[in-house]
Amino acid sequence: MHRKPSIRAIVLFAFIFAISLLHYETPTSHMWLHPLLQRAYYIPLLLMAIWYGWRGGVLAAVVTGILYIPHIQMAWRMNPEYHAAQWVEVGMFFIIGALTGVLADHERAQRFKAEQTATQLGKANAELQSSFALLRRADRLSAMGELAAGLAHEIRNPLGAIDGAVQILTREPLPSETKQEFGELAKHELERLKGIVNQFLNFARPQPPQRIAIDPALLLHSVAKLIGETAKMAGV
């Protein structure tokens, strides 16, 4: 992490030295080339400001000025207008480097602040999700308690019917038709009991009651048959 910025700075300063060397080696007769090299200074200058803030921008401007000012004095003293323009350009190095660095520092601070806010929001979201999970668990446990209370009642009914059917089937003598009828009744109630247990095990949410068509006469006949045999066993 510390090595990478150092390599960047070395490369940028080497770029500044290379541009300065080209300035010194290029004859003043090439008037079109010197302004081009002069503008090339802004590349490392801006990159230093962007990567290292206003301190990096000012440092790059200082190094650029130290390397470029002797060239101004030696090569352009005989041209007063161009000589003055070069001093203005050196001043622009400092202005551009400092201003770009300040903007880069501000953007970096805003990004850091946004990252901190995103981290805090992530933690808050994780806590919120945990709270939702606890609420869902509490709601599920509450529903399970309600279901268990209803389940006890639902199980009692088929168990009562099975108990009555078994008591009837154990009586002797008993017609084969009666045995078949109450055997089927016990089997039916067992299937019903199994379905209730399966619904409890597969419970996710309480399901609304399902309405189905049924023949009231058959229902009354079945109940009367079961109660009638139980009544006979009780001496009623």
Side-chain angles (χ1 to χ4, degrees), residues 160-180:
I162 294 171
D163 179 65
V166 170
Q167 292 184 25
I168 293 172
L169 291 172
T170 56
R171 289 172 53 188
E172 291 293 345
L174 194 67
S176 59
E177 294 181 358
T178 303
K179 288 183 179 181
Q180 182 179 358

Side-chain angles (χ1 to χ4, degrees), residues 102-142:
V102 169
L103 293 176
D105 286 339
H106 178 72
E107 189 275 335
R108 194 175 294 109
Q110 292 296 321
R111 186 174 62 223
F112 178 73
K113 185 177 180 180
E115 290 174 353
Q116 284 187 322
T117 302
T119 301
Q120 293 174 356
L121 288 176
K123 291 181 179 179
N125 182 62
E127 293 175 357
L128 187 61
Q129 293 298 327
S130 178
S131 299
F132 282 154
L134 291 176
L135 288 174
R136 287 195 297 267
R137 178 178 176 82
D139 181 65
R140 186 180 181 84
L141 290 175
S142 175

Side-chain angles (χ1 to χ4, degrees), residues 1-17 44-45 47-49 51-52 55-57 59-60 63:
M1 293 297 291
H2 296 285
R3 183 179 174 184
K4 187 175 181 180
S6 299
I7 294 176
R8 283 181 176 179
I10 292 172
V11 171
L12 292 178
F13 284 126
F15 193 13
I16 294 174
F17 276 101
L45 187 67
L47 291 176
M48 282 290 294
W51 287 339
Y52 300 102
R55 294 179 179 84
L59 178 60
V63 174

Side-chain angles (χ1 to χ4, degrees), residues 2 19 89:
H2 296 285
I19 295 172
E89 194 76 29

Side-chain angles (χ1 to χ4, degrees), residues 189-205:
E189 293 300 326
L190 282 172
E191 292 295 330
R192 177 184 169 192
L193 184 60
K194 186 187 298 183
I196 293 173
V197 173
N198 287 334
Q199 288 181 7
F200 179 77
L201 293 176
N202 297 327
F203 168 72
R205 290 286 181 182

Side-chain angles (χ1 to χ4, degrees), residues 15-180:
F15 193 13
I16 294 174
F17 276 101
I19 295 172
S20 300
L21 181 62
L22 289 174
H23 264 296
Y24 285 97
E25 294 295 328
T26 302
T28 56
S29 59
H30 294 77
M31 291 294 297
W32 63 273
L33 188 56
H34 282 281
L36 180 62
L37 293 173
Q38 190 175 328
R39 301 301 180 270
Y41 276 127
Y42 286 102
I43 298 175
L45 187 67
L46 291 173
L47 291 176
M48 282 290 294
I50 292 172
W51 287 339
Y52 300 102
W54 68 269
R55 294 179 179 84
V58 171
L59 178 60
V62 170
V63 174
T64 302
I66 292 174
L67 295 175
Y68 186 54
I69 288 174
H71 174 72
I72 297 175
Q73 295 296 101
M74 292 186 302
W76 305 110
R77 182 179 295 180
M78 305 305 295
N79 190 338
E81 293 183 359
Y82 194 78
H83 181 268
Q86 300 311 297
W87 280 102
V88 172
E89 194 76 29
V90 172
M92 290 299 298
F93 290 158
F94 285 90
I95 294 174
I96 295 299
L99 181 60
T100 304
V102 169
L103 293 176
D105 286 339
H106 178 72
E107 189 275 335
R108 194 175 294 109
Q110 292 296 321
R111 186 174 62 223
F112 178 73
K113 185 177 180 180
E115 290 174 353
Q116 284 187 322
T117 302
T119 301
Q120 293 174 356
L121 288 176
K123 291 181 179 179
N125 182 62
E127 293 175 357
L128 187 61
Q129 293 298 327
S130 178
S131 299
F132 282 154
L134 291 176
L135 288 174
R136 287 195 297 267
R137 178 178 176 82
D139 181 65
R140 186 180 181 84
L141 290 175
S142 175
M144 287 288 288
E146 295 179 2
L147 179 63
L151 183 66
H153 175 73
E154 291 296 329
I155 290 178
R156 184 177 60 184
N157 289 337
L159 283 179
I162 294 171
D163 179 65
V166 170
Q167 292 184 25
I168 293 172
L169 291 172
T170 56
R171 289 172 53 188
E172 291 293 345
L174 194 67
S176 59
E177 294 181 358
T178 303
K179 288 183 179 181
Q180 182 179 358

